[in-house]
Amino acid sequence: MSSSEAPKTWLSQDAHDRLQAELDELIANRPAIAAEINARREEGDLRENGGYHAAREEQSRQEGRILYLKEFLRNSEVGEIKAADSVGPGSVVTIYFDDDQSDTETFLLGSREISSTTKLKVYSPESALGQAILGSRPGQTVTYAAPSGADIKVTVVEFGPFEG
């Protein structure tokens, strides 16, 4: 899927700023990783040089994260979600399971990248639960297939915009 076809992900301004700061820090750290690789390369035989291989692995991990963050931020929408008439990305949703109104869960329907900015559990709109409740309204019951294959029935109790 190209970036022009990728679905937009909603992010609060705080989450966007945190991810942008992480990206900036990783980019700024590139020269230090390159210097570490060069220093380890000068130690000798690369086949038995654990420090060299560790530095290369770290560089690979960081470059992968840089690419991911660039694409993720490019495909995100930043701002506050406006009040809507049905559940959508950026909604804080309360549901109950299998007709048991005492078995409730409240969570944010949004990107897992913002989970560190909130105490709420975060479910992706692309998850099985997320896809099932998108467009739902309070009182509406939907069924989705759990990863185990079991059908799970949930009822939307209420929802509202994420206040950050």
Side-chain angles (χ1 to χ4, degrees), residues 7-25:
K8 293 288 186 182
T9 300
W10 174 86
L11 290 175
S12 67
Q13 188 65 52
D14 288 343
H16 181 273
D17 293 348
R18 181 184 57 79
L19 293 171
Q20 185 64 53
E22 179 185 351
L23 176 60
D24 294 343
E25 182 179 323

Side-chain angles (χ1 to χ4, degrees), residues 93-111:
V93 184
T94 300
I95 60 171
Y96 64 83
F97 295 90
D98 296 322
D99 297 323
D100 181 358
Q101 294 184 20
S102 66
D103 185 11
T104 64
E105 182 174 10
T106 299
F107 57 88
L108 171 62
L109 188 63
S111 167

Side-chain angles (χ1 to χ4, degrees), residues 62-78:
Q62 286 190 7
E63 289 301 318
R65 183 70 176 161
I66 287 169
L67 290 174
Y68 171 79
L69 287 172
K70 282 182 175 180
E71 187 68 14
F72 185 82
L73 291 170
R74 184 177 308 123
N75 290 307
S76 64
E77 290 185 33
V78 179

